[in-house]
Amino acid sequence: LNTFEIEPGTGDVCLVSKLNHEAKSQYKLNIVVRDISQLPSSAQYITLNVAVESSLPITPSFRFAYYEFIVLD
């Protein structure tokens, strides 16, 4: 079952299915970013930890409207 997906054009991490704290309280996403425009292609690695804090039917809220990450070479 796929829970998350990454949009290829933007790199946005999106939910594919609902999260349920009782079923799984945390996720660890190992993400690999490759720049195929350079030969040989370079890769950067990052781990994204997602904690699911409650199974209550509450709309998620975030401190900021937009988050951006930059991977340095």
Side-chain angles (χ1 to χ4, degrees), residues 26-55:
Q26 60 185 0
Y27 294 84
K28 182 177 180 180
L29 308 175
N30 295 309
I31 300 171
V32 179
V33 179
R34 295 189 189 282
D35 183 356
I36 59 173
S37 68
Q38 297 179 358
L39 293 176
S41 66
S42 60
Q44 297 290 327
Y45 303 86
I46 189 169
T47 300
L48 176 62
N49 294 303
V50 178
V52 183
E53 295 186 1
S54 175
S55 62

Side-chain angles (χ1 to χ4, degrees), residues 2 10 19 22 24 26 34 53 56-57 61-63:
N2 291 332
T10 63
L19 300 178
E22 294 175 4
K24 190 167 185 175
Q26 60 185 0
R34 295 189 189 282
E53 295 186 1
L56 298 175
S61 63
F62 298 92
R63 185 173 181 188

